[in-house]
Structure formats: C-alpha cells, structure tokens
Amino acid sequence: MILVLVETADGAAAEVSLETLALARALAAEGGGVPVQAVVVGEVPDPAALAEELGEHGVAEVHQATGDGVAAFGGAAWAAAVQEAREATGSVVVTAAGSVRGNEVLAHLAARLQVPMAANVTAFSGLAPFVVTRQVVGGAALEEMRLDQRPAVFTVAGHAWQAAVAPTGPATWHTFAPDVAPADLVASVVSVAEKEPDTSDSLRSARVVVGAGRGAGGPDGFAPVAELAELLGGAVGVSRVVTSLGWRPHHEQVGQTGSRITPDLYVPCGISGAIQHWAGCASSKTILAINTDPDAPMMTKATYAVVGDMHEVVPAIVAELRRRRTGVEC
Amino acid sequence: MTRVLVCVKRVPDSSGEVVLTDDGQAVDGRYAGFTISDHENCAVELGIRLADATGGSVTVLTVGPAEAVDQLRAALALGAGAAVHVQADPARLGPDDVAHEIAAVVRDHRAAGAAYDLVLLGNDASDSGDFQVPVRLGYRLGLPIVTGASTAEVTGDRVIAEADGPEGRETYSVPLPAVVSVLEGGVEPRYPTMRGRMAARKIEVETRQPTREPVGPSRVRLLLPPPAPATAEVLGEGPEAAPAVVDLFERLGVGR
Ligand SMILES: Cc1cc2nc3c(=O)[nH]c(=O)nc-3n(C[C@H](O)[C@H](O)[C@H](O)COP(=O)(O)OP(=O)(O)OC[C@H]3O[C@@H](n4cnc5c(N)ncnc54)[C@H](O)[C@@H]3O)c2cc1C
C-alpha cells in the first residue's frame, strides 16, 4: 500500500498533491499494482466532491483525520494522524508533496518511526533496493539515495511530475479521530492572520506573465514590470528571492514552491532561472528572458533573450508598445 | 536571560558553478569557497537579538570538519559569546547523525548547569537539503518544534514564532525550552564589526568528537544535471532591443 498525504485548498486537492499522486501511481504500477490511498487531515467542506476528485487521480480509499487533535495545524499532531493511517493501512510507502506542510509533517513522521526521509524527490529507480533521485544543493545537483527501511518516507519536489487523471471511480471515504498525545499538541498554530487577496488563480491561467526576480533590485523596482504586464493583459510572477525578501506577496511566486504557469508568453526579467523556478515556468509556450548576464540559465534556456538592465529595457518596451498603440511618442 | 544555541553548517558556496568530488559523494567547495546557508544567517541574527533583548547569551555550534571553525568565528564576530565544534566529516553523516550529535551537546551542557532555553537551526541546509535535522533534534530532546519561522520573540517562559503557512501568517506560542527552525526573510542579518572580529579571536572554541559511529546519509552518489544546450535567439542588447521585442509580441499575437 502507498499512502499519500493530500493537502487541500478551498476543499479541492492541491495541485502539488495531485502531482505526488502521479508519482505514487507510477510507483504502484512498478510494484505490480498496489493500491494508492490518501490521508487528508482536518475538515473538508465537501467530502463527496473530494472523494470524486481523488478517485479521478487513482486513489482507492481516503482516510480523513478529524477531531480536536488536528483542528489546528501542528507538525507533530498531523504526523500522529498520518502515522495512525499508515498503521491502519499497513503502507510500506508514505509520501507527500515537497511543500512547507509536506516536508514538515513527513519529517515528523520519519523521526517518530525512526526511518530515513528523502526530501524533494524527482524520480525513483528500482524497487529492491528502492533508490530515489532528489534535488540537493538548491537544485544544482541531484542525489541518488537508498530508502531501505519501511515505510519508505519521501516528499516529491513541486512540479517535477505533472498531475494526470487515471479514473478508478470515486474513492471510498473513511473518517477517523486520531489519538493525539498532549505532547504532540504543544507546537500547534494558535492563530492565522487573514491572508491578503490571493491572485494565484489568475497567475496560473494568465496567457502572458511578466516575471521579476532579484534583478528588480527592491520593492520599488516592480512598477515597469507591472505596467508591461497590464499592457499585455497579463499577470506578474516573481522568484522566491523576491517573496523571501518581502518585496512581493508569496501568491505571486512562480516555481516549485509557488505556482506552475502555462502562458503563451513568459517574460522573466532579472531572474537567473534556478531549477526550482524553471519547474514552475517550463510549460510556457514562449519565453523571452531579459537579464544583464547572457550566461544565466534562464537566458540560455529561453526561446528569446534580450541582454540588458531590466530597469532600462522594460520601460523601453513599455514606451514602444504605447507608441505603436497611440502612434505618438511618450 | 534567554540562553540560545544556534546551529550552523559549513556548506560550499553554490551561487556559482557546482563541482563534485571525484568519488561523487560531496560537492567540492575548494574553489568556490564555503559559507553557511541564508536561513542560518537569519538564525544567528535572531539568536543575537533574542539574547540582547533578555540579557541572555548565544552559543553557536557546528558539526563539521576542522575548517568549519571559520564559520564559528564568523558567528562569534557577530556577537555570539561561545562556540562548540563537533569535529566530523559531513559527507559521512546523515540528518539523524547530526541531530544525535547536537542533542549530545545540549544534554552535556545541561548536565553541566548550562541548559539552553532555545535551539535555533536553519530550516534546511543549502547543500544536503534534508529538511529534517531540526525535527529529529526536537524528538531526541523531547522538545516542541516550530519549523520555518521567520521571526521569534521570547515573552516570559514562551517563544512566540511566526511562519508563513498555506492559509496565511501563522503564530505559534510554545513553552521553553524549544527547538525553532528559521527561514530567511524575517530579519536582516548584521555585518561584523572590526571590534567584533577582534573579540571573536579571543574566544576559545569547545572542540568535541562525535559520540557515536554515524549511520550515514544513505547516499548512493551525487550527479550533476546535464548542461542544457543554449537555445535562445538573442533579440538585441539594452533598450534598443525594444522594437524587436514588440515585433515579437505582435507575431505572437499577445497584448492586443
Ligand atoms: C527547496 C527549494 C524550493 C525553491 N522554490 C522556488 C520557487 O518556487 N520559485 C523560485 O523562483 N525559486 C525557488 N527556489 C530558489 C531558487 O533556488 C533560486 O534561489 C531563486 O529562484 C533565485 O531567484 P532570482 O532568479 O530572482 O535571483 P538570482 O538567482 O540572484 O538571480 C538574479 C538574476 O538577475 C540578474 N540581474 C541582476 N540585476 C539585473 C538587472 N538590473 N537587470 C536584469 N537582470 C539583472 C542576474 O544576472 C541574475 O541572473 C527554491 C529553492 C529551494 C532550495
């Protein structure tokens, strides 16, 4: 049995969890068709809808952990729930997305079970021994790692796999109230601040995305980028450096731990093209990179490139667009 | 009087080209140089701020090769008051080994009357990217763990930490002692002063040996991804490229 921790957003399975299910199904097939089961922690607004969605993605059974112990997020409490589901199902593999939650909860699980854990896996090869390939050194290198002990615990790098349907009919739904020890409740979330309005849906569906990275230089460096995006009827996407430094909100982040975009045109400005960023933008039909460094990975992997300072190039493009539209210089 | 232990790891600088050692077991940092991860720079900064705010102290710890004393000195120059060096070859250690050795230091210091209130680590090391040493350490010590915090404050006998979660900014309030892993972004790491550097030289580093034979990292080998062939067509240089760019927009039919 393969058990997948499925995260939800607004009642639907998170895209990265569906990607993890795609890897889990490939692994299940390799293992001679072992069933894939899901564990969902906490309340979901419409279990029937989620059961149907997960069934579409090859899940036979869903185990939903409910009750006070898991009402607020806590790494230990959620891991206790996953641990109970893994015992009940006798799963030999437990996996989750390489998201903030996925990495945290499975690290707890691995520590509790005293087994190794592999973070950010992109592929597996061979079942005996079970060897996974994972991202290390910020994606600049890969590591082949043995996972000899059972359960094999690993997380799947975001957007390394693509979500795909494999219908088996609606998944059977079970609920259980995990037995969460008081010590596991100590480090649980006590409050969550209201999130700023999330525009990641429009980013994911945008036909044009104008991106900006560290090259923007600071929180004030995004105005020309936003203007270009607006002129092209598109959205702004940014690198993780930009969200980590607080220059722009996280929901604008493109990449492994952000959104996967699929526009007709992506215009990354001042973005080096690290593997984790590439994971989120590789499905763009055309990429036009703007960067001072002609050898940056984004500049060589793009379809088109402009070598130059984004603070000069982007305003010049904006001016040229306006000039052609209005027929006047501005 | 918060007593903070901050754990840092000597890692190869991977901002440039990454080269592997001949046996494929490690990144060869001889040419690029060594540093600590950004998350750990922020952990050191947070530790110093917490100690300053409460009249406490910061001890910095590393598990690593002899040369990792450079990374300890760098943290001492910023304001840490003591340093512990567990000398070990990082290529032979797995995340559980590292957690085991840190836990041994924490226990020994506690037994010697110098217990820590808070252990800070980076959320994930920029080389091995295991995402689990802080959590394993928490279990070994039987302490609560908050991961991915970008800010932390001590009030009374609790640490209040904030982290970005999928639903928004999350607050944790955890009794001390506790383990907190830090994600960059919440604080701006300071730079060393000349006075700090001088003072750091006088501090004696406590040197220790590992307390057990390592289990190891289960690593088969490291690989470099194949170099991507350059495929881009260069449209031009600088602002003069703007007309060619807008021609491209028109050809693609975007923005109309
Ligand atoms: C587990 C994990 C998950 C991650 N997830 C993500 C993710 O989801 N998304 C993501 O983006 N990253 C992610 N990262 C981080 C990623 O590895 C890179 O650090 C990040 O993408 C780099 O951002 P950047 O390109 O903006 O900055 P840098 O790599 O610093 O690149 C800046 C670029 O700007 C150029 N530049 C500088 N000044 C100018 C200028 N004036 N005009 C034009 N160009 C200029 C430089 O030449 C350089 O190429 C992740 C990392 C890890 C370890």
Side-chain angles (χ1 to χ4, degrees), chain A residues 98 103 120 135 137-139 159 212-217 238-243 247 250 253-259 269-280 290-299 306 308-312, chain B residues 39 124-126 129 131 184:
Chain A
N103 280 329
N120 288 321
Q135 294 176 343
V137 201
H159 313 318
R214 196 195 296 275
V238 301
S239 72
R240 192 174 76 165
V241 165
V242 167
T243 58
W247 296 352
H250 181 265
Q253 183 179 315
V254 170
Q256 183 172 314
T257 46
S259 294
C269 309
I271 294 179
S272 62
I275 189 92
Q276 294 91 355
H277 188 84
W278 188 253
I290 300 173
N291 199 306
T292 44
D293 175 7
D295 298 322
M298 184 62 90
M299 292 286 275
V306 172
D309 186 336
M310 61 183 282
H311 302 295
E312 296 170 6
Chain B
H39 301 322
D124 52 287
S126 65
F131 289 82
E184 68 168 322

Side-chain angles (χ1 to χ4, degrees), chain A residues 157-184:
Chain A
H159 313 318
W161 285 65
Q162 208 157 344
V165 292
T168 54
T172 331
W173 195 274
H174 311 276
T175 58
F176 69 107
D179 196 5
V180 183
D184 290 334

Side-chain angles (χ1 to χ4, degrees), chain A:
Chain A
M1 213 81 81
I2 298 176
L3 185 64
V4 179
L5 169 62
V6 170
E7 296 172 59
T8 61
D10 300 326
E15 187 186 12
V16 283
S17 294
L18 297 179
E19 294 165 5
T20 304
L21 284 171
L23 182 147
R25 284 200 312 273
L27 183 57
E30 184 93 5
V34 295
V36 175
Q37 304 202 355
V39 55
V40 173
V41 186
E43 294 306 323
V44 290
D46 187 350
L50 187 59
E52 191 163 329
E53 183 185 19
L54 292 177
E56 286 286 304
H57 288 266
V59 174
E61 286 179 38
V62 184
H63 306 267
Q64 181 199 11
T66 59
D68 292 345
V70 292
F73 174 76
W78 279 42
V82 175
Q83 188 175 354
E84 214 173 292
R86 113 95 199 149
E87 268 152 33
T89 56
S91 298
V92 291
V93 173
V94 183
T95 180
S99 57
V100 172
R101 287 272 193 270
N103 280 329
E104 179 174 353
V105 174
L106 290 207
H108 276 269
L109 180 73
R112 299 164 84 90
L113 298 175
Q114 298 185 18
V115 296
M117 164 182 136
N120 288 321
V121 164
T122 57
F124 61 89
S125 60
L127 294 186
F130 183 45
V131 175
V132 294
T133 303
R134 62 185 206 93
Q135 294 176 343
V136 293
V137 201
L142 298 168
E143 178 188 52
E144 286 178 356
M145 177 178 169
R146 260 180 295 108
L147 284 176
D148 298 328
Q149 295 184 48
R150 297 294 171 263
V153 175
F154 64 92
T155 64
V156 179
H159 313 318
W161 285 65
Q162 208 157 344
V165 292
T168 54
T172 331
W173 195 274
H174 311 276
T175 58
F176 69 107
D179 196 5
V180 183
D184 290 334
L185 289 168
V186 173
S188 291
V189 171
V190 291
S191 67
V192 184
E194 196 68 53
K195 212 163 57 166
E196 49 210 301
D198 185 333
T199 55
S200 59
D201 280 345
S202 53
L203 174 60
R204 280 191 294 266
S205 60
R207 285 194 54 223
V208 178
V209 175
V210 183
R214 196 195 296 275
D220 305 330
F222 293 83
V225 170
E227 196 178 359
L228 179 58
E230 200 187 312
L231 281 173
L232 296 176
V236 172
V238 301
S239 72
R240 192 174 76 165
V241 165
V242 167
T243 58
S244 292
L245 294 172
W247 296 352
R248 301 288 293 192
H250 181 265
H251 61 80
E252 290 184 356
Q253 183 179 315
V254 170
Q256 183 172 314
T257 46
S259 294
R260 191 173 78 92
I261 57 169
T262 55
D264 293 337
L265 175 65
Y266 179 41
V267 189
C269 309
I271 294 179
S272 62
I275 189 92
Q276 294 91 355
H277 188 84
W278 188 253
C281 71
S283 305
S284 309
K285 280 206 194 95
T286 301
I287 298 180
L288 162 64
I290 300 173
N291 199 306
T292 44
D293 175 7
D295 298 322
M298 184 62 90
M299 292 286 275
T300 56
K301 287 201 264 187
T303 343
Y304 301 98
V306 172
V307 185
D309 186 336
M310 61 183 282
H311 302 295
E312 296 170 6
V313 177
V314 178
I317 297 170
V318 167
E320 177 70 14
L321 264 174
R322 289 202 190 282
R323 193 184 63 76
R324 290 200 200 177
R325 279 189 197 175
T326 58
V328 294
E329 208 78 38
C330 53

